Amino acid sequence: MDAKLDYLLRQGDNALILSQQLCQLCGKGPALEEDMALSNVALDLLGQTRMWLGYAAELEGKGRDEDRLAFHRDAIDYRNCLLVEQPNGSYADTMMRQFLFDTWHYFLMDGLTRSSDVRIAEIAQKSIKEVTYHLRRSGDLVVRLGDGTDISHAKMQTALDELWMYSGEMFLYDAVDHAMVEQGVAPAVDGLRQNFLDHLAEVLNEATLKMPSPDAWMQRGGKQGRHSERLGYILAEMQFLQRAYPGAQW
Amino acid sequence: MYAQMVDTGLKKVRTEEDMSAEEQAFQARIDAGIKIEAKDWMPEAYRKTLIRQISQHAHSEIVGQLPEGNWVTRAPTLKRKSVLLAKIQDEAGHGLYLYSAAETLGVSRDELLAALHSGKAKYSSIFNYPTLSWADMGAVGWLVDGSAIINQIPLCRCSYGPYARAMIRVCKEESFHARQGYDIMMSLAQGTPEQKAMAQDALNRWWWPSLMMFGPSDAESVNSAQSTAWRIKLFSNDELRQRMVDQTVPQAEYLGLTIPDPDLKWNAERGSYDFGEIDWSEFQNVLKGNGPCNRERLRTRVKAWEDGDWFRDALVAHADKKAAAKAAA
Amino acid sequence: MSKEWPLWEVFIRSQHGLAHKHVGSLHAPDAEMAVNNARDVYTRRNEGVSIWVVRAQDIVASSPADKEALFEPANSKVYRHPTFFPMPEEVKNL
């Protein structure tokens, strides 16, 4: 598969799966204001999904559209990283997952605004305003919950420790990533990873949370289509109607 | 409506003889169309009734997120998913505007939520029905939000300022809700035979509960009469229900769907549709807790609240720590 | 029962307006979260440019009218707008 097409699917799938997970929490947040803020994030991510998958479909040139890509690929063809498939769990897990994702997402979008691919740069320009806000929000909550009560601190530390092994996949560059860097489409990994770790360190320190070692073993495979058991269920739920009623217009 | 059969606590409508000078002045303001604001003098019964009415409305919006939340993860296109998510988010917002309005009357949101979670406070009967297919997203937007709009537009002119202003804000957002529902129904009605059947089935299940939303006939109701005198209820239940039917029948005809009422008939003399008898025993039972989803709806809300205890506490603790540090500096 | 988040009143200056307008209230543990939440709750349709939040208890109000006086003079998410869904001509009341 064309490296750029793969790359676009990765971005779209990350946003889509994470958004889908956040949608599960509709009406179930710990406070009304929080419910609204979280659904804002889910909505933003969905908008970004559509931009990425829309471009991917065009680039592919096989007559597929954003919905065809979203609803008719099985897990083996999904390109999201493992982090976004991790369960919602408690609100601590949800917010820590969000923070880890947002930090990487922010620096990536920032890098992509300078992409040699004009369309990607445009998508990144549009997305970065939202992602800047997402990161400010999730970082703020990590600090508040990390440095809140003993209970919240413990929950956040556990969430961090458990999600940590999913926080490195984004920086394990493969042939697709390298091709994108070579073409000036995507930012190089070292700078990206350093920004990520620096920001994490700053926020986690303020949150009085202990950051695990960046050299820890990182789970991998999502970008290449090797996912966790969860993705199958997520897709089964999401894709049901289109699969059950093939050819129907909605 | 969203707030159904609100109890005023009074056995008869207040007359001039019953009223003190203060209350007469208050009633004169209402009769002159002047808004009552939060710190103005008001009879205790007016205040209590408004708290009940506004909070019931707020609870309905919050619980109302759940039947639709049930399908947001299964929306059949990315666009439909976005629109539905935006609608659900709006409902949270409406709940919030309404709790805000209720709080101006001297009650806290936490108190109101405690009443909801304990089962003491009510919310609209309609949200105790299950959403069984994607077509339900269409039917709910079209019929339920459609009915809500009919009730809410007059409330924009109600006597209590904060409530009227909240209603104006809500109404601006509500017409998007009804339209997106009808848009879904149109896609389905004009789609495959299975989709059309899905749409008809949803209409069959949501029609009567939507009519019940307006509450039983209140021609004899003291509560309704008093609320009308106070201008917090502007039309009778029957008038609003009739408006909904008259408005909706042509919309169903356009879709090519059949309203599940064999007695539905245009009455040229009245200039309105005659319609069949409503099964009020179903309504009473749903209000009592015997609807298809009462238990789940309440459990979901209670669980969200209880699971969120640690979160809310932590945020308070952090804010307190920061405030203390600032004071010490 | 845990401590309730304080109540904040929210004022928004819309893009085309000149003065901040009171739009409602919300609960938040502190000022910063109040502003952030206000953005999510009250500006979802690009309705606001400047947000003010004030702790409800800090608002000082003038006294309401004396008892004797009867009458006192009181983007992108474009699908949120009703006009995004064009309705067929024949269909009324939507």
mmCIF file of all heavy atoms in Angstrom, chain A residues 7 104 107-108 111 167-174 177-178 180-182 186-197 223:
data_model
loop_
_atom_site.group_PDB
_atom_site.id
_atom_site.type_symbol
_atom_site.label_atom_id
_atom_site.label_comp_id
_atom_site.label_asym_id
_atom_site.label_seq_id
_atom_site.Cartn_x
_atom_site.Cartn_y
_atom_site.Cartn_z
ATOM 1 N N TYR A 7 -0.327 6.275 5.984
ATOM 2 C CA TYR A 7 -0.110 7.321 6.984
ATOM 3 C C TYR A 7 -1.410 8.068 7.282
ATOM 4 O O TYR A 7 -1.728 8.363 8.433
ATOM 5 C CB TYR A 7 0.969 8.284 6.491
ATOM 6 C CG TYR A 7 1.471 9.198 7.567
ATOM 7 C CD1 TYR A 7 2.307 8.714 8.583
ATOM 8 C CD2 TYR A 7 1.097 10.541 7.613
ATOM 9 C CE1 TYR A 7 2.765 9.540 9.597
ATOM 10 C CE2 TYR A 7 1.550 11.371 8.627
ATOM 11 C CZ TYR A 7 2.387 10.865 9.606
ATOM 12 O OH TYR A 7 2.841 11.687 10.608
ATOM 13 N N TRP A 104 1.052 13.696 22.480
ATOM 14 C CA TRP A 104 1.661 13.270 21.217
ATOM 15 C C TRP A 104 0.963 13.942 20.034
ATOM 16 O O TRP A 104 1.598 14.463 19.119
ATOM 17 C CB TRP A 104 1.559 11.748 21.088
ATOM 18 C CG TRP A 104 1.813 11.295 19.693
ATOM 19 C CD1 TRP A 104 3.014 11.268 19.038
ATOM 20 C CD2 TRP A 104 0.828 10.836 18.760
ATOM 21 N NE1 TRP A 104 2.846 10.809 17.744
ATOM 22 C CE2 TRP A 104 1.514 10.539 17.550
ATOM 23 C CE3 TRP A 104 -0.550 10.638 18.821
ATOM 24 C CZ2 TRP A 104 0.851 10.062 16.411
ATOM 25 C CZ3 TRP A 104 -1.203 10.161 17.687
ATOM 26 C CH2 TRP A 104 -0.496 9.873 16.504
ATOM 27 N N PHE A 107 2.009 17.655 19.428
ATOM 28 C CA PHE A 107 3.310 17.869 18.790
ATOM 29 C C PHE A 107 3.320 17.354 17.358
ATOM 30 O O PHE A 107 3.964 17.933 16.478
ATOM 31 C CB PHE A 107 4.432 17.254 19.631
ATOM 32 C CG PHE A 107 4.689 18.022 20.897
ATOM 33 C CD1 PHE A 107 4.394 17.470 22.135
ATOM 34 C CD2 PHE A 107 5.192 19.316 20.852
ATOM 35 C CE1 PHE A 107 4.607 18.186 23.306
ATOM 36 C CE2 PHE A 107 5.408 20.043 22.016
ATOM 37 C CZ PHE A 107 5.113 19.475 23.249
ATOM 38 N N LEU A 108 2.594 16.289 17.100
ATOM 39 C CA LEU A 108 2.493 15.775 15.741
ATOM 40 C C LEU A 108 1.787 16.787 14.841
ATOM 41 O O LEU A 108 2.283 17.124 13.769
ATOM 42 C CB LEU A 108 1.738 14.448 15.691
ATOM 43 C CG LEU A 108 1.550 13.927 14.265
ATOM 44 C CD1 LEU A 108 2.900 13.525 13.677
ATOM 45 C CD2 LEU A 108 0.592 12.742 14.227
ATOM 46 N N GLY A 111 3.970 19.636 14.011
ATOM 47 C CA GLY A 111 4.923 19.257 12.963
ATOM 48 C C GLY A 111 4.258 19.182 11.602
ATOM 49 O O GLY A 111 4.808 19.627 10.594
ATOM 50 N N SER A 167 2.418 4.041 25.399
ATOM 51 C CA SER A 167 2.745 5.437 25.096
ATOM 52 C C SER A 167 3.954 5.582 24.179
ATOM 53 O O SER A 167 4.381 6.680 23.883
ATOM 54 C CB SER A 167 3.019 6.200 26.402
ATOM 55 O OG SER A 167 4.232 5.727 26.982
ATOM 56 N N GLY A 168 4.494 4.457 23.739
ATOM 57 C CA GLY A 168 5.701 4.545 22.923
ATOM 58 C C GLY A 168 5.517 4.168 21.469
ATOM 59 O O GLY A 168 6.341 4.498 20.619
ATOM 60 N N GLU A 169 4.401 3.489 21.172
ATOM 61 C CA GLU A 169 4.211 2.982 19.802
ATOM 62 C C GLU A 169 4.301 4.098 18.761
ATOM 63 O O GLU A 169 4.814 3.898 17.661
ATOM 64 C CB GLU A 169 2.856 2.269 19.687
ATOM 65 C CG GLU A 169 2.634 1.685 18.306
ATOM 66 C CD GLU A 169 1.273 1.037 18.111
ATOM 67 O OE1 GLU A 169 0.474 1.007 19.078
ATOM 68 O OE2 GLU A 169 1.009 0.570 16.994
ATOM 69 N N MET A 170 3.786 5.256 19.116
ATOM 70 C CA MET A 170 3.748 6.374 18.168
ATOM 71 C C MET A 170 5.154 6.773 17.708
ATOM 72 O O MET A 170 5.309 7.372 16.655
ATOM 73 C CB MET A 170 3.078 7.607 18.792
ATOM 74 C CG MET A 170 1.658 7.376 19.268
ATOM 75 S SD MET A 170 1.518 6.539 20.867
ATOM 76 C CE MET A 170 1.622 7.916 22.007
ATOM 77 N N PHE A 171 6.168 6.423 18.543
ATOM 78 C CA PHE A 171 7.532 6.838 18.221
ATOM 79 C C PHE A 171 8.367 5.693 17.654
ATOM 80 O O PHE A 171 9.554 5.855 17.403
ATOM 81 C CB PHE A 171 8.200 7.429 19.461
ATOM 82 C CG PHE A 171 7.363 8.492 20.095
ATOM 83 C CD1 PHE A 171 6.639 8.227 21.259
ATOM 84 C CD2 PHE A 171 7.240 9.743 19.506
ATOM 85 C CE1 PHE A 171 5.829 9.201 21.833
ATOM 86 C CE2 PHE A 171 6.430 10.719 20.068
ATOM 87 C CZ PHE A 171 5.727 10.449 21.233
ATOM 88 N N LEU A 172 7.738 4.530 17.467
ATOM 89 C CA LEU A 172 8.448 3.401 16.837
ATOM 90 C C LEU A 172 8.213 3.521 15.338
ATOM 91 O O LEU A 172 7.226 3.012 14.808
ATOM 92 C CB LEU A 172 7.919 2.071 17.389
ATOM 93 C CG LEU A 172 8.189 1.858 18.882
ATOM 94 C CD1 LEU A 172 7.454 0.644 19.418
ATOM 95 C CD2 LEU A 172 9.696 1.725 19.130
ATOM 96 N N TYR A 173 9.101 4.253 14.677
ATOM 97 C CA TYR A 173 8.901 4.533 13.255
ATOM 98 C C TYR A 173 9.206 3.295 12.412
ATOM 99 O O TYR A 173 10.236 2.659 12.583
ATOM 100 C CB TYR A 173 9.800 5.702 12.825
ATOM 101 C CG TYR A 173 9.160 7.063 13.056
ATOM 102 C CD1 TYR A 173 8.188 7.250 14.038
ATOM 103 C CD2 TYR A 173 9.505 8.164 12.287
ATOM 104 C CE1 TYR A 173 7.598 8.492 14.241
ATOM 105 C CE2 TYR A 173 8.923 9.410 12.472
ATOM 106 C CZ TYR A 173 7.965 9.571 13.455
ATOM 107 O OH TYR A 173 7.389 10.803 13.635
ATOM 108 N N ASP A 174 8.313 3.018 11.482
ATOM 109 C CA ASP A 174 8.530 1.910 10.551
ATOM 110 C C ASP A 174 8.763 2.487 9.152
ATOM 111 O O ASP A 174 8.944 3.707 9.005
ATOM 112 C CB ASP A 174 7.340 0.950 10.592
ATOM 113 C CG ASP A 174 6.032 1.602 10.123
ATOM 114 O OD1 ASP A 174 6.037 2.823 9.809
ATOM 115 O OD2 ASP A 174 5.009 0.897 10.076
ATOM 116 N N ASP A 177 6.521 5.443 8.253
ATOM 117 C CA ASP A 177 6.903 6.689 8.940
ATOM 118 C C ASP A 177 8.171 7.270 8.318
ATOM 119 O O ASP A 177 8.252 8.482 8.059
ATOM 120 C CB ASP A 177 7.143 6.422 10.430
ATOM 121 C CG ASP A 177 5.878 6.012 11.162
ATOM 122 O OD1 ASP A 177 4.868 6.724 11.018
ATOM 123 O OD2 ASP A 177 5.903 4.981 11.872
ATOM 124 N N HIS A 178 9.174 6.396 8.081
ATOM 125 C CA HIS A 178 10.442 6.881 7.514
ATOM 126 C C HIS A 178 10.225 7.495 6.135
ATOM 127 O O HIS A 178 10.809 8.535 5.823
ATOM 128 C CB HIS A 178 11.472 5.749 7.444
ATOM 129 C CG HIS A 178 12.003 5.365 8.797
ATOM 130 N ND1 HIS A 178 12.494 6.280 9.701
ATOM 131 C CD2 HIS A 178 12.094 4.147 9.410
ATOM 132 C CE1 HIS A 178 12.872 5.658 10.808
ATOM 133 N NE2 HIS A 178 12.637 4.359 10.670
ATOM 134 N N MET A 180 7.592 8.984 5.080
ATOM 135 C CA MET A 180 6.945 10.284 5.281
ATOM 136 C C MET A 180 7.952 11.343 5.709
ATOM 137 O O MET A 180 7.880 12.501 5.287
ATOM 138 C CB MET A 180 5.813 10.184 6.316
ATOM 139 C CG MET A 180 4.607 9.383 5.841
ATOM 140 S SD MET A 180 3.814 10.070 4.367
ATOM 141 C CE MET A 180 4.525 9.067 3.087
ATOM 142 N N VAL A 181 8.877 10.935 6.575
ATOM 143 C CA VAL A 181 9.899 11.891 7.017
ATOM 144 C C VAL A 181 10.778 12.279 5.832
ATOM 145 O O VAL A 181 11.048 13.457 5.597
ATOM 146 C CB VAL A 181 10.753 11.297 8.162
ATOM 147 C CG1 VAL A 181 11.904 12.229 8.500
ATOM 148 C CG2 VAL A 181 9.885 11.073 9.387
ATOM 149 N N GLU A 182 11.195 11.259 5.074
ATOM 150 C CA GLU A 182 12.054 11.511 3.907
ATOM 151 C C GLU A 182 11.403 12.480 2.931
ATOM 152 O O GLU A 182 12.066 13.346 2.354
ATOM 153 C CB GLU A 182 12.338 10.204 3.174
ATOM 154 C CG GLU A 182 13.632 9.523 3.589
ATOM 155 C CD GLU A 182 13.600 8.027 3.273
ATOM 156 O OE1 GLU A 182 13.293 7.669 2.114
ATOM 157 O OE2 GLU A 182 13.847 7.238 4.210
ATOM 158 N N ALA A 186 6.114 14.311 7.182
ATOM 159 C CA ALA A 186 5.922 14.179 8.633
ATOM 160 C C ALA A 186 7.187 14.577 9.379
ATOM 161 O O ALA A 186 8.286 14.514 8.825
ATOM 162 C CB ALA A 186 5.548 12.742 8.971
ATOM 163 N N PRO A 187 7.039 14.998 10.652
ATOM 164 C CA PRO A 187 8.213 15.396 11.430
ATOM 165 C C PRO A 187 9.054 14.187 11.845
ATOM 166 O O PRO A 187 8.538 13.086 12.008
ATOM 167 C CB PRO A 187 7.606 16.083 12.659
ATOM 168 C CG PRO A 187 6.226 15.555 12.775
ATOM 169 C CD PRO A 187 5.776 15.185 11.405
ATOM 170 N N ALA A 188 10.344 14.428 12.040
ATOM 171 C CA ALA A 188 11.257 13.366 12.469
ATOM 172 C C ALA A 188 10.928 12.939 13.893
ATOM 173 O O ALA A 188 10.393 13.724 14.682
ATOM 174 C CB ALA A 188 12.695 13.870 12.397
ATOM 175 N N VAL A 189 11.273 11.700 14.205
ATOM 176 C CA VAL A 189 10.849 11.132 15.482
ATOM 177 C C VAL A 189 11.570 11.698 16.700
ATOM 178 O O VAL A 189 10.956 11.911 17.748
ATOM 179 C CB VAL A 189 10.960 9.585 15.459
ATOM 180 C CG1 VAL A 189 12.419 9.137 15.434
ATOM 181 C CG2 VAL A 189 10.235 8.983 16.636
ATOM 182 N N ASP A 190 12.861 11.984 16.574
ATOM 183 C CA ASP A 190 13.609 12.360 17.781
ATOM 184 C C ASP A 190 13.067 13.619 18.430
ATOM 185 O O ASP A 190 12.839 13.667 19.645
ATOM 186 C CB ASP A 190 15.103 12.533 17.449
ATOM 187 C CG ASP A 190 15.732 11.198 17.050
ATOM 188 O OD1 ASP A 190 15.265 10.163 17.568
ATOM 189 O OD2 ASP A 190 16.657 11.192 16.225
ATOM 190 N N GLY A 191 12.876 14.647 17.612
ATOM 191 C CA GLY A 191 12.351 15.900 18.150
ATOM 192 C C GLY A 191 10.975 15.703 18.746
ATOM 193 O O GLY A 191 10.650 16.192 19.834
ATOM 194 N N LEU A 192 10.178 14.952 18.021
ATOM 195 C CA LEU A 192 8.797 14.689 18.443
ATOM 196 C C LEU A 192 8.779 13.999 19.795
ATOM 197 O O LEU A 192 8.076 14.402 20.725
ATOM 198 C CB LEU A 192 8.147 13.784 17.391
ATOM 199 C CG LEU A 192 6.636 13.769 17.276
ATOM 200 C CD1 LEU A 192 6.101 15.148 16.978
ATOM 201 C CD2 LEU A 192 6.223 12.801 16.164
ATOM 202 N N ARG A 193 9.581 12.971 19.906
ATOM 203 C CA ARG A 193 9.618 12.179 21.135
ATOM 204 C C ARG A 193 10.154 13.013 22.297
ATOM 205 O O ARG A 193 9.650 12.931 23.411
ATOM 206 C CB ARG A 193 10.478 10.939 20.938
ATOM 207 C CG ARG A 193 10.464 10.001 22.142
ATOM 208 C CD ARG A 193 11.003 8.616 21.780
ATOM 209 N NE ARG A 193 10.898 7.718 22.914
ATOM 210 C CZ ARG A 193 11.904 7.445 23.747
ATOM 211 N NH1 ARG A 193 13.089 7.998 23.566
ATOM 212 N NH2 ARG A 193 11.726 6.620 24.779
ATOM 213 N N GLN A 194 11.158 13.827 22.023
ATOM 214 C CA GLN A 194 11.723 14.640 23.092
ATOM 215 C C GLN A 194 10.701 15.653 23.609
ATOM 216 O O GLN A 194 10.546 15.838 24.813
ATOM 217 C CB GLN A 194 12.985 15.379 22.617
ATOM 218 C CG GLN A 194 13.871 15.870 23.757
ATOM 219 C CD GLN A 194 14.178 14.762 24.750
ATOM 220 O OE1 GLN A 194 14.684 13.697 24.396
ATOM 221 N NE2 GLN A 194 13.834 14.980 26.010
ATOM 222 N N ASN A 195 10.005 16.312 22.684
ATOM 223 C CA ASN A 195 8.949 17.261 23.086
ATOM 224 C C ASN A 195 7.895 16.564 23.937
ATOM 225 O O ASN A 195 7.430 17.100 24.945
ATOM 226 C CB ASN A 195 8.265 17.870 21.854
ATOM 227 C CG ASN A 195 9.153 18.881 21.149
ATOM 228 O OD1 ASN A 195 10.055 19.460 21.761
ATOM 229 N ND2 ASN A 195 8.917 19.098 19.873
ATOM 230 N N PHE A 196 7.540 15.378 23.468
ATOM 231 C CA PHE A 196 6.528 14.578 24.178
ATOM 232 C C PHE A 196 6.983 14.291 25.607
ATOM 233 O O PHE A 196 6.271 14.596 26.570
ATOM 234 C CB PHE A 196 6.315 13.274 23.397
ATOM 235 C CG PHE A 196 5.447 12.249 24.062
ATOM 236 C CD1 PHE A 196 4.065 12.354 24.041
ATOM 237 C CD2 PHE A 196 6.020 11.141 24.700
ATOM 238 C CE1 PHE A 196 3.261 11.378 24.644
ATOM 239 C CE2 PHE A 196 5.223 10.171 25.300
ATOM 240 C CZ PHE A 196 3.836 10.286 25.268
ATOM 241 N N LEU A 197 8.179 13.761 25.745
ATOM 242 C CA LEU A 197 8.667 13.382 27.076
ATOM 243 C C LEU A 197 8.857 14.603 27.972
ATOM 244 O O LEU A 197 8.550 14.565 29.165
ATOM 245 C CB LEU A 197 9.977 12.593 26.947
ATOM 246 C CG LEU A 197 9.837 11.199 26.329
ATOM 247 C CD1 LEU A 197 11.213 10.585 26.068
ATOM 248 C CD2 LEU A 197 9.019 10.269 27.229
ATOM 249 N N LYS A 223 -0.262 0.139 14.463
ATOM 250 C CA LYS A 223 -0.049 0.862 13.197
ATOM 251 C C LYS A 223 0.049 -0.097 12.014
ATOM 252 O O LYS A 223 -0.206 0.271 10.874
ATOM 253 C CB LYS A 223 1.238 1.700 13.271
ATOM 254 C CG LYS A 223 1.144 2.837 14.277
ATOM 255 C CD LYS A 223 2.204 3.899 14.084
ATOM 256 C CE LYS A 223 3.617 3.412 14.281
ATOM 257 N NZ LYS A 223 4.574 4.546 14.345
#
